[in-house]
Amino acid sequence: MSPHASAAAAAVGVINQAVAVRGSCSLALSGGSTPVPFHRLLATEFAEQVPWGNVHVFWGDERYVPHSDARSNYGMARRTLLDHVPCPSENIHPMPTSGPSSSDAALEYEHTLRKHFSGGVPRFDLMVLGIGIDGHTASLFPHSPALREKSRWVLAVTAEADVRQRLTLTLPVITRAVHTFVIVTGAEKAAAVELARSARTDPADCPAAALQKSEGEVAWWLDAAAAGH
Ligand code: 6PG
Protein backbone atom coordinates (compact mmCIF):
# COMPACT_ATOMS: atom_id res chain seq x y z
CA MET A 1 0.00 0.00 0.00
CA SER A 2 1.37 3.46 -0.86
CA PRO A 3 2.07 5.90 1.97
CA HIS A 4 -0.79 8.00 0.62
CA ALA A 5 -3.25 5.11 0.88
CA SER A 6 -2.00 4.13 4.34
CA ALA A 7 -2.26 7.74 5.47
CA ALA A 8 -5.75 8.11 4.01
CA ALA A 9 -6.96 4.94 5.74
CA ALA A 10 -5.48 6.14 9.04
CA ALA A 11 -6.94 9.63 8.54
CA VAL A 12 -10.43 8.11 8.25
CA GLY A 13 -9.91 6.54 11.66
CA VAL A 14 -8.60 9.74 13.25
CA ILE A 15 -11.41 11.85 11.79
CA ASN A 16 -14.14 9.46 12.90
CA GLN A 17 -12.62 9.16 16.37
CA ALA A 18 -12.54 12.97 16.76
CA VAL A 19 -16.15 13.25 15.60
CA ALA A 20 -17.23 10.47 17.94
CA VAL A 21 -15.52 12.09 20.93
CA ARG A 22 -15.86 15.82 20.19
CA GLY A 23 -18.62 16.00 17.61
CA SER A 24 -16.29 17.46 14.98
CA CYS A 25 -12.80 17.11 13.55
CA SER A 26 -10.39 19.99 12.96
CA LEU A 27 -8.12 19.10 10.06
CA ALA A 28 -5.14 21.19 8.93
CA LEU A 29 -3.97 20.46 5.39
CA SER A 30 -0.51 20.81 3.95
CA GLY A 31 0.49 22.31 0.62
CA GLY A 32 2.94 21.35 -2.06
CA SER A 33 2.58 18.37 -4.37
CA THR A 34 2.98 15.39 -2.03
CA PRO A 35 -0.54 15.59 -0.54
CA VAL A 36 -2.26 15.36 -3.96
CA PRO A 37 -2.63 11.53 -4.08
CA PHE A 38 -3.69 11.57 -0.40
CA HIS A 39 -6.38 14.15 -1.18
CA ARG A 40 -7.58 12.26 -4.24
CA LEU A 41 -7.98 9.05 -2.21
CA LEU A 42 -10.00 10.90 0.45
CA ALA A 43 -12.15 12.27 -2.38
CA THR A 44 -12.76 8.86 -3.95
CA GLU A 45 -12.01 5.51 -2.33
CA PHE A 46 -12.39 6.78 1.26
CA ALA A 47 -14.94 9.57 0.70
CA GLU A 48 -17.94 7.62 1.99
CA GLN A 49 -16.12 6.80 5.24
CA VAL A 50 -15.64 10.45 6.24
CA PRO A 51 -18.42 12.46 8.00
CA TRP A 52 -17.63 15.55 5.92
CA GLY A 53 -20.40 17.60 7.56
CA ASN A 54 -18.47 17.38 10.86
CA VAL A 55 -15.03 18.16 9.43
CA HIS A 56 -13.58 21.67 9.63
CA VAL A 57 -10.70 22.25 7.21
CA PHE A 58 -7.84 24.65 7.87
CA TRP A 59 -4.34 25.04 6.44
CA GLY A 60 -0.93 24.69 8.05
CA ASP A 61 0.52 27.22 5.69
CA GLU A 62 -0.24 29.16 2.52
CA ARG A 63 1.62 30.95 -0.19
CA TYR A 64 0.63 34.62 -0.26
CA VAL A 65 -0.90 34.48 -3.72
CA PRO A 66 -4.55 34.67 -4.85
CA HIS A 67 -6.50 31.46 -4.23
CA SER A 68 -6.88 31.25 -8.01
CA ASP A 69 -3.10 31.08 -8.43
CA ALA A 70 -1.83 27.62 -9.44
CA ARG A 71 0.59 27.76 -6.50
CA SER A 72 -2.14 28.29 -3.87
CA ASN A 73 -2.39 25.51 -1.29
CA TYR A 74 -6.09 26.29 -0.91
CA GLY A 75 -6.56 26.04 -4.67
CA MET A 76 -4.76 22.70 -4.76
CA ALA A 77 -6.94 21.33 -1.94
CA ARG A 78 -10.09 22.50 -3.73
CA ARG A 79 -9.07 20.88 -7.04
CA THR A 80 -7.93 17.59 -5.50
CA LEU A 81 -10.33 17.16 -2.57
CA LEU A 82 -12.80 19.82 -1.44
CA ASP A 83 -14.60 20.30 -4.77
CA HIS A 84 -15.37 16.56 -4.71
CA VAL A 85 -16.70 15.96 -1.18
CA PRO A 86 -19.74 17.36 0.70
CA CYS A 87 -17.77 19.46 3.18
CA PRO A 88 -19.97 22.52 3.86
CA SER A 89 -18.45 25.81 2.72
CA GLU A 90 -18.83 27.20 6.25
CA ASN A 91 -16.50 24.41 7.42
CA ILE A 92 -13.70 25.43 5.08
CA HIS A 93 -11.35 28.05 6.51
CA PRO A 94 -8.69 29.16 4.01
CA MET A 95 -5.85 31.43 5.04
CA PRO A 96 -6.70 34.90 3.60
CA THR A 97 -4.33 35.99 0.84
CA SER A 98 -6.18 38.79 -0.94
CA GLY A 99 -5.29 41.75 1.28
CA PRO A 100 -2.32 44.09 0.89
CA SER A 101 -0.68 42.99 4.14
CA SER A 102 0.32 39.41 4.88
CA SER A 103 0.94 40.45 8.48
CA ASP A 104 -2.70 41.57 8.78
CA ALA A 105 -3.74 38.30 7.11
CA ALA A 106 -1.84 36.36 9.78
CA LEU A 107 -3.71 38.27 12.51
CA GLU A 108 -6.99 37.65 10.69
CA TYR A 109 -6.34 33.90 10.59
CA GLU A 110 -5.49 33.90 14.29
CA HIS A 111 -8.93 35.45 14.82
CA THR A 112 -10.47 32.65 12.74
CA LEU A 113 -8.68 30.08 14.88
CA ARG A 114 -9.67 31.83 18.12
CA LYS A 115 -13.31 31.69 17.11
CA HIS A 116 -13.18 28.01 16.21
CA PHE A 117 -11.06 26.81 19.12
CA SER A 118 -12.92 29.02 21.64
CA GLY A 119 -9.91 31.00 22.69
CA GLY A 120 -7.38 28.44 23.82
CA VAL A 121 -4.28 27.51 21.85
CA PRO A 122 -5.65 25.56 18.85
CA ARG A 123 -5.35 21.81 19.20
CA PHE A 124 -5.97 20.31 15.76
CA ASP A 125 -7.32 16.77 15.70
CA LEU A 126 -5.24 16.03 12.59
CA MET A 127 -2.34 18.10 11.24
CA VAL A 128 -1.08 16.96 7.82
CA LEU A 129 2.43 18.09 6.97
CA GLY A 130 5.11 17.56 4.35
CA ILE A 131 8.84 18.21 4.50
CA GLY A 132 11.15 20.01 2.13
CA ILE A 133 14.60 18.71 1.18
CA ASP A 134 15.94 21.47 3.47
CA GLY A 135 13.88 20.12 6.38
CA HIS A 136 11.23 22.85 6.36
CA THR A 137 7.69 21.96 7.28
CA ALA A 138 4.61 24.09 6.77
CA SER A 139 6.38 27.37 5.96
CA LEU A 140 8.85 27.14 8.81
CA PHE A 141 12.25 27.24 7.14
CA PRO A 142 15.70 26.58 8.60
CA HIS A 143 17.02 29.39 10.84
CA SER A 144 13.80 31.39 10.48
CA PRO A 145 12.98 33.68 13.42
CA ALA A 146 9.46 32.16 13.21
CA LEU A 147 10.89 29.00 14.75
CA ARG A 148 11.43 30.86 18.03
CA GLU A 149 7.86 32.21 18.20
CA LYS A 150 6.22 31.17 21.45
CA SER A 151 2.93 33.12 21.55
CA ARG A 152 1.70 33.93 18.03
CA TRP A 153 -0.29 31.18 16.30
CA VAL A 154 0.09 32.41 12.72
CA LEU A 155 2.93 34.42 11.21
CA ALA A 156 3.67 36.04 7.89
CA VAL A 157 7.13 34.90 6.79
CA THR A 158 9.49 35.46 3.89
CA ALA A 159 10.93 32.23 2.54
CA GLU A 160 13.75 31.35 0.17
CA ALA A 161 11.24 29.39 -1.88
CA ASP A 162 9.30 29.59 -5.13
CA VAL A 163 6.74 31.83 -3.44
CA ARG A 164 8.56 34.04 -0.96
CA GLN A 165 5.65 35.61 0.97
CA ARG A 166 3.86 33.00 3.05
CA LEU A 167 1.59 32.48 6.06
CA THR A 168 2.34 29.66 8.48
CA LEU A 169 1.12 28.14 11.69
CA THR A 170 3.79 28.38 14.38
CA LEU A 171 5.30 25.55 16.41
CA PRO A 172 3.13 26.18 19.51
CA VAL A 173 0.13 25.25 17.34
CA ILE A 174 1.72 22.61 15.12
CA THR A 175 3.19 20.66 18.06
CA ARG A 176 -0.11 20.74 19.96
CA ALA A 177 -2.01 18.61 17.42
CA VAL A 178 -3.57 15.39 18.66
CA HIS A 179 -2.35 13.57 15.56
CA THR A 180 0.28 14.72 13.08
CA PHE A 181 0.74 12.93 9.75
CA VAL A 182 3.95 13.66 7.84
CA ILE A 183 3.64 12.31 4.30
CA VAL A 184 6.93 12.09 2.39
CA THR A 185 7.92 10.43 -0.86
CA GLY A 186 11.09 10.37 -2.94
CA ALA A 187 14.76 9.65 -2.36
CA GLU A 188 15.62 13.35 -2.46
CA LYS A 189 13.92 13.74 0.94
CA ALA A 190 15.50 10.73 2.69
CA ALA A 191 18.26 12.80 4.29
CA ALA A 192 15.78 15.39 5.58
CA VAL A 193 13.56 12.64 6.98
CA GLU A 194 16.50 11.03 8.77
CA LEU A 195 17.58 14.38 10.23
CA ALA A 196 14.02 15.27 11.26
CA ARG A 197 13.72 12.00 13.20
CA SER A 198 17.10 12.14 14.89
CA ALA A 199 17.28 13.28 18.53
CA ARG A 200 20.60 14.94 17.69
CA THR A 201 19.08 17.39 15.21
CA ASP A 202 18.60 21.05 16.10
CA PRO A 203 15.20 22.21 14.77
CA ALA A 204 16.83 25.46 13.72
CA ASP A 205 18.72 23.43 11.14
CA CYS A 206 15.79 21.14 10.29
CA PRO A 207 12.43 22.57 11.44
CA ALA A 208 10.62 19.24 10.98
CA ALA A 209 12.76 17.95 13.88
CA ALA A 210 10.58 20.12 16.13
CA LEU A 211 7.85 17.52 15.64
CA GLN A 212 9.75 15.33 18.09
CA LYS A 213 8.40 17.68 20.77
CA SER A 214 4.80 17.27 19.63
CA GLU A 215 2.29 16.77 22.45
CA GLY A 216 0.38 14.31 20.28
CA GLU A 217 1.13 11.30 18.14
CA VAL A 218 3.32 11.87 15.07
CA ALA A 219 3.08 9.34 12.23
CA TRP A 220 5.50 9.37 9.30
CA TRP A 221 4.01 8.00 6.09
CA LEU A 222 7.00 7.28 3.85
CA ASP A 223 7.64 5.43 0.65
CA ALA A 224 10.74 3.19 0.56
CA ALA A 225 12.81 5.90 -1.12
CA ALA A 226 12.04 8.58 1.46
CA ALA A 227 12.66 6.00 4.19
CA GLY A 228 16.16 5.58 2.81
CA HIS A 229 15.74 1.95 1.75
C1 6PG B 1 4.11 24.34 0.98
C2 6PG B 1 4.02 23.20 1.95
C3 6PG B 1 5.41 22.76 2.30
C4 6PG B 1 5.54 21.39 1.67
C5 6PG B 1 6.98 21.08 1.39
C6 6PG B 1 7.09 19.83 0.51
O1 6PG B 1 3.32 25.28 1.07
O2 6PG B 1 4.95 24.21 0.07
O3 6PG B 1 3.20 23.33 2.96
O4 6PG B 1 5.74 22.70 3.63
O5 6PG B 1 4.98 20.40 2.52
O6 6PG B 1 7.54 22.19 0.71
O7 6PG B 1 6.53 20.16 -0.74
P1 6PG B 1 6.30 19.01 -1.85
O8 6PG B 1 5.25 18.11 -1.31
O9 6PG B 1 5.83 19.76 -3.07
O10 6PG B 1 7.64 18.32 -2.03
Side-chain angles (χ1 to χ4, degrees), residues 83-103:
D83 285 348
H84 310 285
V85 294
C87 186
S89 56
E90 62 269 22
N91 287 19
I92 299 173
H93 312 279
M95 288 184 162
T97 60
S98 57
S101 160
S102 57
S103 299

Side-chain angles (χ1 to χ4, degrees), residues 30-35 61 63 73 130-132 136-139 166 189:
S30 177
S33 57
T34 304
D61 72 324
R63 294 84 177 276
N73 291 340
I131 185 172
H136 80 262
T137 192
S139 282
R166 294 172 172 235
K189 302 213 177 148

